[in-house]
């Protein structure tokens, strides 16, 4: 939905096209990012059924399991959305930060909670996960074409559950990434790290923003 009076009233947009996916699309923790040319992009998560089984309870084939974040684009101020392009398999809750021109940095939750026939049975131990979660961490990726394609997918957090992430650029051009350190749930923390080179490298220091945590939403004052 869009507003032209600072949120007093809202105009509903048209439903987005999710076919051939059949699960409820999600946008938990995602953000709308405006590029310098005025294009808006947003990530929407798609699944078949619940990501493991279809709506009749039948287990999905491997190539249909899990979730995929797709980037949708709007060039008319959010009235309509289309031009869907996939980020990667097993992605969700992606957030974007414009770096100027067509350059975009993404913070992406990557999660898989099932084994494939090619996986060693002890894979969950190698990833630091559990038997019900193979991996659940925060990754970064870059786009050089306004979010249509993504390169240099790289893992930022190593502890299982340290996701999703939010990206904020400060007035001095440093970038802060905030993410949820969720396990154990009590107390849990919101953690921040800082990059001085556009998201290529990050501080070793981890700053505790809050004790007790949820999905962050921040602005620069």
């Amino acid at each position: 939905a869009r507003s032209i009076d600072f949120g007093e009233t809202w105009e509903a947009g048209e439903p987005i096209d999710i076919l051939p996916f059949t699960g409820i699309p999600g946008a938990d923790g995602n953000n709308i990012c405006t590029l310098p040319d005025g294009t808006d992009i947003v990530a929407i998560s798609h699944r078949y059924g619940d990501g493991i089984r279809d709506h009749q309870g039948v287990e999905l084939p491997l190539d249909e399991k899990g979730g995929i974040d797709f980037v949708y684009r709007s060039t008319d101020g959010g009235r309509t959305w289309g031009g869907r392009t996939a980020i990667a398999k097993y992605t969700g809750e992606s957030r974007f930060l414009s770096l100027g021109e067509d350059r975009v940095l993404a913070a992406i939750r990557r999660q898989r909670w099932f084994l494939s026939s090619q996986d060693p049975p002890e894979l969950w131990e190698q990833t630091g996960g559990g038997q019900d979660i193979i991996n659940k961490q925060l990754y970064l990726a870059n786009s050089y074409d306004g979010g249509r394609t993504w390169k240099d997918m790289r893992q930022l957090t190593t502890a299982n559950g340290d996701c999703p992430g939010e990206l904020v650029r400060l007035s001095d051009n440093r970038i802060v990434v905030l993410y949820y350190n969720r396990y154990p749930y009590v107390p849990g923390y919101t953690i921040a790290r800082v990059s001085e080179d556009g998201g290529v490298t990050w501080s070793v220091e981890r700053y505790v923003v809050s004790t007790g945590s949820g999905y962050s939403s921040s602005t620069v004052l």
Side-chain angles (χ1 to χ4, degrees):
R2 65 190 298 271
S3 175
I4 58 173
D5 55 11
F6 301 101
E8 292 290 334
T9 60
W10 292 85
E11 170 193 350
E14 294 295 321
I16 62 171
D17 178 15
I18 69 168
L19 294 175
F21 298 93
T22 58
I24 299 173
D28 302 33
N30 300 4
N31 70 312
I32 295 173
C33 174
T34 302
L35 305 182
D37 66 358
T39 298
D40 295 310
I41 61 173
V42 66
I44 304 295
S45 304
H46 292 333
R47 295 181 182 183
Y48 292 98
D50 67 359
I52 297 291
R53 294 175 176 81
D54 65 19
H55 296 291
Q56 286 70 49
V58 177
E59 186 168 348
L60 295 166
L62 181 62
D63 63 351
E64 293 185 3
K65 287 184 177 180
I68 305 175
D69 260 6
F70 285 85
V71 180
Y72 285 78
R73 313 172 64 81
S74 175
T75 58
D76 56 9
R79 291 184 178 89
T80 58
W81 296 85
R84 182 178 77 184
T85 54
I87 295 179
K89 292 199 71 173
Y90 314 133
T91 56
E93 297 177 346
S94 299
R95 291 190 181 186
F96 305 132
L97 176 68
S98 172
L99 300 180
E101 298 179 334
D102 285 337
R103 296 177 296 124
V104 184
L105 179 66
I108 303 165
R109 172 178 177 159
R110 298 207 75 179
Q111 180 172 344
R112 181 155 63 100
W113 58 100
F114 49 87
L115 289 168
S116 75
S117 58
Q118 288 77 40
D119 291 331
E122 69 281 2
L123 176 66
W124 63 271
E125 295 177 340
Q126 298 174 14
T127 61
Q131 296 185 45
D132 57 342
I133 298 175
I134 306 304
N135 68 289
K136 186 178 181 180
Q137 288 103 5
L138 180 62
Y139 283 68
L140 301 175
N142 288 84
S143 175
Y144 302 96
D145 55 9
R148 292 179 176 87
T149 61
W150 296 91
K151 302 179 183 298
D152 193 20
M153 184 79 72
R154 57 209 185 267
Q155 186 173 346
L156 181 67
T157 64
T158 55
N160 235 34
D162 277 14
C163 57
E166 179 193 15
L167 297 163
V168 182
R169 182 158 56 181
L170 307 181
S171 56
D172 62 5
N173 282 326
R174 288 182 297 165
I175 296 173
V176 178
V177 61
L178 299 100
Y179 58 87
Y180 182 6
N181 175 234
R182 69 179 72 214
Y183 301 134
Y185 282 117
V186 179
Y189 300 97
T190 298
I191 300 294
R193 292 172 66 186
V194 181
S195 174
E196 298 186 2
D197 56 9
V200 177
T201 62
W202 296 86
S203 63
V204 176
E205 294 85 1
R206 302 191 317 156
Y207 301 94
V208 176
V209 177
S210 67
T211 302
S213 58
Y215 288 19
S216 61
S217 182
S218 309
T219 190
V220 176
L221 303 178

